[in-house]
Amino acid sequence: MSELVLPENFETYPEARKKAFLTMKELKEQGRRIVGVFCTYTPWELIHAADAVAVVLCGIGDDNIPAAEVRLPKNLCPLIKASYGAAVTDKCPFFYFSDMVLAETTCDGKKKMYELMGELKHCHIMQLPPGKTGRGALDFWKQEVIGVKEDLEQFYGIEITEDKLRASIRLRNRERKAVLDFFEVAKLKPSPITGYEISTVISSNEFSPDLEDKIAFLEQRTKELKDLYERELKGKPSRPRILITGCPTTGIMDKIIKCIEELGADVVGFENCCGPREKKDPIDEAKDPITAISEKYLRVNCSVMSPNPGRLEALDVQIDEYQVDGVVEVLLQACHTFAIESDAVKTFVTTKKHIPYIAINTDYSPSDQAQIDTRLGAFIELL
Ligand code: BJ8
């Protein structure tokens, strides 16, 4: 293998980014296959069955936006701009060292951005049907899943056997359960974990590529938190409990999640792709693997699907199970699908669940932080 080089600007990077680059470099030096992913629709089991490591690509960072705006419009979702900006400037260690990218045509902005990203490295783009229930939607999506399998096989010169797929489904279902149990610790009242810790752990790519290590870590942390609750917190008063919904919040963890907790409430749940959305829904291990994988991922409740009634059903359950006092909807700038759904979400939360709701429209820049603090502070006082 030819020697792996780090990006030109490596020495100027912050320590955390340097560390991630070195970890990924080591992985490549060990000869591991690496596939970059973005979205909850990604059929990870196929990547795992190809003996490849799936890494979540960076879609955060206000500093990644200017480079993206050279080719992308300013009035575009910051997640999309940051994803492209981090890739094109060699600031995302996961993109830099991935062999290929597996992405999906979710919203219009993302799918057009992937055309530009495809100029940088091989991007396999799965075509997502516009709805889950439309005639032929599942058959169409299943063909796309088969297309991924074939591309991985051709790209790496390997065969993804049925046995490998079945083993990978079983392992990922165990991982799902461990992640779900970790999320559900916050159902305890008062919650023994901050929403900020939940977000940090879940969005981390720092786990060992061995999923067994990740499962063990999560099981251990879940146990510690339950013990902490029994020992010190049970019976104590709880702060107001917030559920986050809307767009992914990894890029605004400090701006929104930390801010809510510093203002005196606990973020206990996430009804977005940073929460248990797909973890609650294991893959059927008894079925033909390709069919089971296709069915599972088509069930994801994302606003890019029309219609998307499953999202309100999930909100209904989560608000009750996590004993939620108020809902904060995060709408990233120019995200039309979540912005349009927010009207139905607000009506549902306030008139069916009878709890307060607030929508925060924002991007990755710090310029609106003071305004957000004021609005969230007033909202929390209401609870
Ligand atoms: S399954 S939520 S991870 S698409 S916020 S880029 S929709 S304009 S991120 Fe998402 Fe998959 Fe859906 Fe989840 Fe577009 Fe909206 Fe930006 Fe978005």
Side-chain angles (χ1 to χ4, degrees):
M1 185 176 53
S2 56
E3 205 195 327
L4 293 169
V5 286
L6 289 161
E8 249 176 48
N9 296 332
F10 177 76
E11 284 310 327
T12 65
Y13 290 169
E15 283 313 308
R17 188 177 295 158
K18 274 189 187 164
K19 188 168 160 249
F21 264 98
L22 294 175
T23 307
M24 292 302 295
K25 182 167 180 274
E26 205 181 310
L27 216 56
K28 284 292 283 186
E29 283 164 352
Q30 290 164 6
R32 301 296 298 259
R33 300 171 183 143
I34 299 174
V35 177
V37 303
F38 279 108
C39 176
T40 311
Y41 284 106
T42 308
W44 282 54
E45 290 72 15
L46 287 164
I47 298 172
H48 189 262
D51 292 323
V53 182
V55 288
V56 181
L57 302 173
C58 301
I60 64 172
D62 197 34
D63 59 329
N64 290 320
I65 304 277
E69 286 179 346
V70 173
R71 296 188 73 194
L72 293 169
K74 282 194 185 345
N75 184 23
L76 183 66
C77 166
L79 193 157
I80 301 172
K81 287 190 285 186
S83 303
Y84 180 69
V88 77
T89 54
D90 291 339
K91 283 199 204 141
C92 171
F94 311 105
F95 183 87
Y96 187 85
F97 281 114
S98 60
D99 309 317
M100 63 177 277
V101 170
L102 175 53
E104 303 76 13
T105 57
T106 51
C107 59
D108 287 352
K110 256 189 187 166
K111 71 183 174 201
K112 296 307 285 182
M113 180 275 283
Y114 291 141
E115 291 177 13
L116 307 189
M117 193 170 262
E119 296 169 6
L120 305 173
K121 74 171 57 180
H122 176 54
C123 291
H124 182 105
I125 309 300
M126 299 179 80
Q127 303 285 329
L128 196 66
K132 306 172 193 186
T133 49
R135 196 176 295 173
L138 178 61
D139 289 344
F140 175 83
W141 179 238
K142 190 169 165 184
Q143 289 307 314
E144 291 298 300
V145 172
I146 292 168
V148 174
K149 174 176 175 289
E150 290 173 353
D151 192 16
L152 284 167
E153 288 178 330
Q154 199 183 1
F155 187 81
Y156 286 120
I158 53 161
E159 186 193 354
I160 297 177
T161 63
E162 184 171 331
D163 283 352
K164 283 224 166 219
L165 266 182
R166 287 193 184 281
S168 150
I169 288 172
R170 284 194 298 273
L171 180 61
R172 281 275 295 159
N173 274 348
R174 285 184 44 231
E175 184 213 2
R176 267 188 194 100
K177 170 84 173 61
V179 177
L180 184 62
D181 289 346
F182 175 70
F183 276 122
E184 292 193 342
V185 165
K187 284 184 180 175
L188 295 168
K189 193 174 178 181
S191 172
I193 182 167
T194 63
Y196 193 75
E197 179 183 341
I198 296 174
S199 305
T200 312
V201 169
I202 295 302
S203 64
S204 173
N205 250 334
E206 302 285 305
F207 286 115
S208 142
D210 182 353
L211 284 188
E212 292 290 357
D213 289 348
K214 179 176 177 184
I215 293 169
F217 170 85
L218 288 169
E219 287 177 345
Q220 174 62 25
R221 187 69 189 125
T222 300
K223 184 179 174 312
E224 285 167 9
L225 290 161
K226 285 184 174 168
D227 290 348
L228 172 71
Y229 173 79
E230 289 296 330
R231 220 177 40 244
E232 295 178 25
L233 302 173
K234 199 172 179 177
K236 298 242 171 90
S238 169
R239 306 200 303 174
R241 295 165 67 84
I242 302 284
L243 180 80
I244 301 287
T245 188
C247 300
T249 36
T250 311
I252 40 172
M253 267 176 2
D254 286 65
K255 200 170 171 181
I256 305 279
I257 312 299
K258 200 179 204 177
C259 168
I260 290 172
E261 300 194 315
E262 286 178 354
L263 287 166
D266 290 332
V267 172
V268 293
F270 296 83
E271 192 292 307
N272 64 6
C273 275
C274 303
R277 176 170 281 164
E278 74 89 16
K279 306 297 172 196
K280 293 196 280 193
D281 183 18
I283 298 186
D284 187 337
E285 296 180 13
K287 280 193 177 168
D288 151 61
I290 292 289
T291 304
I293 289 171
S294 309
E295 288 176 352
K296 185 262 176 316
Y297 287 102
L298 200 55
R299 290 192 293 263
V300 170
N301 296 321
C302 175
S303 64
V304 298
M305 286 287 168
S306 179
N308 185 31
R311 185 163 164 229
L312 293 187
E313 288 158 22
L315 265 171
D316 192 9
V317 173
Q318 255 178 293
I319 287 171
D320 291 345
E321 287 185 351
Y322 287 75
Q323 303 179 64
V324 169
D325 300 309
V327 171
V328 175
E329 176 143 48
V330 175
L331 299 170
L332 292 177
Q333 167 198 302
C335 176
H336 302 314
T337 55
F338 277 104
I340 292 168
E341 271 192 10
S342 70
D343 182 62
V345 171
K346 178 183 178 183
T347 304
F348 178 78
V349 169
T350 54
T351 66
K352 295 274 188 318
K353 305 306 287 181
H354 306 289
I355 56 173
Y357 162 98
I358 188 173
I360 302 285
N361 292 272
T362 192
D363 59 14
Y364 288 172
S365 83
S367 60
D368 55 351
Q369 185 72 63
Q371 189 204 26
I372 288 175
D373 291 354
T374 308
R375 291 191 65 216
L376 285 174
F379 181 71
I380 290 165
E381 269 183 29
L382 272 181
L383 304 176

